[in-house]
């Protein structure tokens, strides 16, 4: 990589406005939020901001009583924060690649750890795969996102979308590599102990998600392991 002068570095890395949307990627790993009201973002994801912005961790009783217990037991990865006011906020998550999706009445499911931010017009709900409890440390909690607005999701490296249809048959994925799927799909948890034994893992690929029907599923070339804090 050639050595740059200070002026060349500043010109290449300076903040840019290329669209009028509230969400704009400054790079594939850094999201700029043009805040004028309220936006939800992953707690701890702010790296810089300008203007009059207030950050509030999502209240324990917010967005419906049904999420109360789920939030209490789903760990830090599912914690969201409100960003309110006017200004610019820059958010990122451990250098993961950011993808922006515009929902127009659509419903999608996203692994809870892979939700970076979403506009206030998006409704969210935490969903649980009950059969997976006790089988593995990750992939149990997901977020259902529905409505109108932009959603920012993250992945390790480039994501891959696999179509699901009755013609091609079901798609099986590793829960720790599964990022998102379309709202019309309801994954089934399946266990293949022989596969886990073959690969020398006690609780890895032996647990899979089975997607069947009509839709799509997004995977990443990385098996993300989630750790929950203990108190």
């Amino acid at each position: 990589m050639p050595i740059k002068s200070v002026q060349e570095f500043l010109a290449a890395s300076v903040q840019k406005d290329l669209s009028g949307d509230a969400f704009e990627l400054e790079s594939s790993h850094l999201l700029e939020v043009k805040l004028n009201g309220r936006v939800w973002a992953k707690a701890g994801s702010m790296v810089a901001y300008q203007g009059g912005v207030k950050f509030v961790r999502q209240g324990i009783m917010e967005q419906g009583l049904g999420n109360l217990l789920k939030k209490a037991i789903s760990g830090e990865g599912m914690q969201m924060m409100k960003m309110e006011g006017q200004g610019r906020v820059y958010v990122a998550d451990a250098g993961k690649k950011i993808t922006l999706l515009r929902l127009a009445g659509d419903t999608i499911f996203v692994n809870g750890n892979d939700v970076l931010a979403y506009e206030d017009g998006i409704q969210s709900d935490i969903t649980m795969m009950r059969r997976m409890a006790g089988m593995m440390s990750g992939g149990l909690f997901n977020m259902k996102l529905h409505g109108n607005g932009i959603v920012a999701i993250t992945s390790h490296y480039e994501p891959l979308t696999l179509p699901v249809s009755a013609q091609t048959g079901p798609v099986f994925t590793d829960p720790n590599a599964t990022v998102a799927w379309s709202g019309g799909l309801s994954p089934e948890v399946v266990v293949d102990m022989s596969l886990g034994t073959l690969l020398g893992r006690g609780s890895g690929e032996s647990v899979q998600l089975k997607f069947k029907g009509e839709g799509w599923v997004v995977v990443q070339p990385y098996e993300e392991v989630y750790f929950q804090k203990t108190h």
Side-chain angles (χ1 to χ4, degrees):
M1 182 179 296
I3 299 175
K4 296 179 180 179
S5 69
V6 172
Q7 289 74 20
E8 289 171 332
F9 167 74
L10 294 177
S13 62
V14 69
Q15 179 270 332
K16 303 175 182 66
D17 283 326
L18 301 178
S19 80
D21 288 324
F23 286 14
E24 181 177 339
L25 291 179
E26 290 294 328
S27 73
S28 58
H29 312 286
L30 184 63
L31 171 66
E32 178 193 52
V33 177
K34 301 181 183 74
L35 189 63
N36 184 20
R38 179 170 65 179
V39 164
W40 296 90
K42 187 174 185 177
S45 63
M46 186 275 292
V47 297
Y49 74 93
Q50 293 176 302
V53 182
K54 182 180 180 181
F55 300 91
V56 181
R57 183 177 289 270
Q58 188 175 28
I60 194 169
M61 300 295 284
E62 286 194 74
Q63 295 192 339
L65 294 175
N67 276 338
L68 176 59
L69 178 60
K70 299 174 189 177
K71 288 174 184 172
I73 63 178
S74 59
E76 291 295 314
M78 294 291 291
Q79 292 293 325
M80 304 298 289
M81 65 180 178
K82 289 183 292 185
M83 305 189 302
E84 297 179 303
Q86 290 186 324
R88 296 172 185 260
V89 185
Y90 301 89
V91 295
D93 185 12
K96 293 166 67 176
K97 178 179 174 61
I98 303 170
T99 299
L100 299 182
L101 303 175
R102 189 186 303 274
L103 302 189
D106 307 281
T107 298
I108 63 172
F109 290 88
V110 184
N111 186 303
N113 199 51
D114 297 327
V115 178
L116 178 61
Y118 52 89
E119 291 189 280
D120 203 33
I122 301 295
Q123 300 174 1
S124 68
D125 183 37
I126 298 173
T127 63
M128 296 185 290
M129 296 182 186
R130 302 179 189 278
R131 286 192 56 196
M132 199 176 295
M135 294 183 185
M136 57 187 304
S137 59
L140 176 60
F141 295 94
N142 304 286
M143 190 172 289
K144 178 182 179 181
L145 300 172
H146 170 76
N148 295 278
I150 302 176
V151 173
I153 66 174
T154 60
S155 62
H156 287 276
Y157 312 108
E158 293 291 336
L160 171 68
T161 298
L162 299 172
V164 180
S165 69
Q167 290 73 29
T168 59
V171 173
F172 297 84
T173 67
D174 181 335
N176 285 343
T178 305
V179 175
W181 60 90
S182 54
L185 297 180
S186 297
E188 175 186 352
V189 178
V190 296
V191 180
D192 186 338
M193 296 307 296
S194 62
L195 182 58
T197 302
L198 176 66
L199 295 171
R201 303 189 179 196
S203 60
E205 279 81 352
S206 59
V207 179
Q208 305 158 19
L209 296 180
K210 177 182 179 180
F211 294 87
K212 63 181 180 179
E214 298 290 334
W216 46 264
V217 57
V218 179
V219 295
Q220 61 185 2
Y222 186 94
E223 294 180 40
E224 191 165 9
V225 179
Y226 314 103
F227 298 94
Q228 295 185 6
K229 293 183 179 181
T230 58
H231 300 280

